[in-house]
Coordinates of all heavy atoms in Angstrom, one line a residue:
R1 N 3.3 5.6 -7.1 CA 4.2 6.7 -7.3 C 3.3 8.0 -7.5 O 3.7 9.1 -7.0 CB 5.1 6.5 -8.5 CG 6.0 7.7 -8.9 CD 6.9 8.0 -7.7 NE 7.8 9.2 -8.1 CZ 8.2 10.1 -7.2 NH1 7.9 9.9 -5.9 NH2 9.0 11.1 -7.6
A2 N 2.2 7.9 -8.2 CA 1.3 9.1 -8.4 C 0.8 9.6 -7.0 O 0.8 10.8 -6.8 CB 0.2 8.7 -9.3
N3 N 0.5 8.7 -6.2 CA 0.0 9.0 -4.8 C 1.1 9.7 -4.0 O 0.9 10.6 -3.2 CB -0.5 7.8 -4.1 CG -1.8 7.3 -4.7 OD1 -2.5 8.1 -5.3 ND2 -2.1 6.1 -4.5
E4 N 2.4 9.2 -4.2 CA 3.5 9.9 -3.5 C 3.7 11.3 -4.0 O 3.9 12.2 -3.2 CB 4.8 9.1 -3.8 CG 4.9 7.8 -3.1 CD 6.2 7.1 -3.4 OE1 7.0 7.6 -4.2 OE2 6.4 5.9 -3.0
L5 N 3.6 11.5 -5.3 CA 3.7 12.8 -5.9 C 2.6 13.8 -5.4 O 2.9 14.9 -5.1 CB 3.7 12.7 -7.4 CG 4.9 12.1 -8.1 CD1 4.6 11.8 -9.6 CD2 6.1 13.1 -8.0
Q6 N 1.4 13.2 -5.3 CA 0.3 14.0 -4.8 C 0.5 14.4 -3.3 O 0.3 15.5 -2.9 CB -1.0 13.3 -4.9 CG -1.6 13.3 -6.3 CD -3.0 12.7 -6.4 OE1 -3.6 12.7 -7.5 NE2 -3.5 12.1 -5.3
A7 N 1.0 13.5 -2.6 CA 1.3 13.7 -1.1 C 2.4 14.8 -1.0 O 2.4 15.6 0.0 CB 1.8 12.5 -0.4
D8 N 3.2 15.0 -2.0 CA 4.3 16.0 -2.0 C 3.8 17.3 -2.6 O 4.6 18.3 -2.7 CB 5.5 15.5 -2.8 CG 6.3 14.4 -2.1 OD1 6.1 14.2 -0.9 OD2 7.0 13.7 -2.8
G9 N 2.5 17.4 -2.9 CA 1.9 18.6 -3.3 C 1.8 18.8 -4.8 O 1.4 19.9 -5.3
H10 N 2.1 17.8 -5.6 CA 2.0 17.9 -7.1 C 0.5 17.6 -7.5 O -0.1 16.8 -6.9 CB 2.9 16.9 -7.8 CG 4.4 17.2 -7.5 ND1 5.1 18.3 -8.1 CD2 5.3 16.6 -6.7 CE1 6.3 18.3 -7.6 NE2 6.5 17.3 -6.8
D11 N 0.1 18.2 -8.6 CA -1.2 18.0 -9.2 C -1.1 16.9 -10.2 O -0.6 17.2 -11.3 CB -1.7 19.3 -9.8 CG -3.0 19.2 -10.6 OD1 -3.8 18.4 -10.1 OD2 -3.2 19.9 -11.6
V12 N -1.6 15.8 -9.9 CA -1.5 14.6 -10.8 C -2.9 14.4 -11.5 O -3.9 14.4 -10.8 CB -1.1 13.3 -10.1 CG1 -1.1 12.1 -11.0 CG2 0.2 13.5 -9.4
I13 N -2.8 14.3 -12.8 CA -4.1 14.0 -13.6 C -4.2 12.5 -13.8 O -3.3 11.9 -14.4 CB -4.1 14.8 -14.9 CG1 -4.0 16.3 -14.7 CG2 -5.4 14.5 -15.7 CD1 -4.0 17.1 -16.0
H14 N -5.2 11.9 -13.3 CA -5.3 10.5 -13.3 C -6.1 10.0 -14.6 O -7.4 10.2 -14.6 CB -6.0 9.9 -12.1 CG -5.2 10.1 -10.8 ND1 -4.2 9.1 -10.5 CD2 -5.1 11.0 -9.9 CE1 -3.6 9.5 -9.4 NE2 -4.1 10.7 -9.0
L15 N -5.4 9.4 -15.5 CA -6.1 8.8 -16.7 C -5.9 7.3 -16.7 O -6.0 6.7 -17.8 CB -5.6 9.5 -18.0 CG -5.7 11.0 -18.1 CD1 -5.2 11.5 -19.4 CD2 -7.1 11.5 -17.8
E16 N -5.5 6.8 -15.6 CA -5.2 5.3 -15.5 C -6.3 4.5 -14.9 O -6.3 3.3 -14.9 CB -3.8 5.1 -14.7 CG -3.9 5.1 -13.2 CD -4.0 6.5 -12.6 OE1 -4.5 7.5 -13.2 OE2 -3.6 6.6 -11.4
I17 N -7.2 5.2 -14.2 CA -8.2 4.5 -13.4 C -9.5 4.1 -14.3 O -10.1 5.0 -14.9 CB -8.7 5.4 -12.2 CG1 -7.5 5.8 -11.4 CG2 -9.7 4.6 -11.4 CD1 -6.7 4.6 -10.8
G18 N -9.8 2.8 -14.3 CA -11.0 2.4 -15.0 C -12.3 2.5 -14.2 O -13.0 1.5 -13.9
E19 N -12.5 3.7 -13.7 CA -13.7 3.9 -12.8 C -14.3 5.2 -13.1 O -13.6 6.2 -13.2 CB -13.2 3.9 -11.3 CG -14.3 4.1 -10.3 CD -13.8 4.0 -8.9 OE1 -12.6 4.2 -8.7 OE2 -14.6 3.7 -8.0
P20 N -15.6 5.3 -13.3 CA -16.2 6.6 -13.5 C -15.9 7.6 -12.4 O -15.8 7.2 -11.3 CB -17.7 6.3 -13.5 CG -17.8 4.8 -13.8 CD -16.6 4.2 -13.2
D21 N -15.7 8.9 -12.8 CA -15.4 9.9 -11.8 C -16.6 10.4 -11.1 O -16.5 11.1 -10.1 CB -14.6 11.0 -12.4 CG -15.3 11.6 -13.6 OD1 -15.8 10.8 -14.5 OD2 -15.3 12.8 -13.8
F22 N -17.8 10.1 -11.6 CA -19.0 10.5 -11.0 C -19.3 9.6 -9.8 O -19.1 8.4 -9.8 CB -20.2 10.3 -12.0 CG -20.0 11.1 -13.2 CD1 -19.8 10.4 -14.4 CD2 -20.1 12.5 -13.3 CE1 -19.6 11.1 -15.6 CE2 -19.9 13.2 -14.5 CZ -19.7 12.5 -15.6
T23 N -19.8 10.2 -8.7 CA -20.2 9.4 -7.6 C -21.6 8.8 -7.9 O -22.2 9.1 -8.8 CB -20.3 10.2 -6.3 OG1 -21.2 11.3 -6.5 CG2 -18.9 10.8 -5.9
T24 N -22.0 7.8 -7.1 CA -23.2 7.1 -7.3 C -24.4 8.1 -7.3 O -24.5 9.0 -6.5 CB -23.5 6.0 -6.2 OG1 -22.4 5.1 -6.2 CG2 -24.8 5.3 -6.5
A25 N -25.3 7.9 -8.3 CA -26.4 8.9 -8.5 C -27.3 8.9 -7.2 O -27.5 7.9 -6.5 CB -27.3 8.4 -9.6
A26 N -27.8 10.1 -6.9 CA -28.5 10.4 -5.6 C -29.7 9.4 -5.4 O -29.8 9.0 -4.2 CB -29.0 11.8 -5.6
P27 N -30.5 9.1 -6.4 CA -31.6 8.1 -6.1 C -31.1 6.8 -5.6 O -31.8 6.1 -4.7 CB -32.4 8.0 -7.4 CG -32.0 9.3 -8.1 CD -30.6 9.6 -7.8
I28 N -30.0 6.3 -6.1 CA -29.4 5.0 -5.7 C -28.9 5.1 -4.2 O -29.1 4.2 -3.4 CB -28.3 4.6 -6.6 CG1 -28.8 4.5 -8.1 CG2 -27.7 3.2 -6.2 CD1 -27.8 4.2 -9.1
V29 N -28.2 6.2 -3.9 CA -27.7 6.4 -2.6 C -28.9 6.5 -1.6 O -28.8 5.9 -0.5 CB -26.9 7.7 -2.5 CG1 -26.5 8.1 -1.1 CG2 -25.6 7.6 -3.4
A30 N -29.9 7.2 -1.9 CA -31.1 7.3 -1.1 C -31.7 5.9 -0.8 O -32.1 5.6 0.3 CB -32.1 8.3 -1.7
A31 N -31.8 5.1 -1.9 CA -32.4 3.8 -1.7 C -31.5 2.9 -0.8 O -32.0 2.2 0.0 CB -32.5 3.1 -3.1

């Protein structure tokens, strides 16, 4: 439902996801 709301242009704040919002650190990506 949150994704539907976003697709309709609403700004949804996601506090349900058990995942860091940071992308993988650059040295790991480079490796």
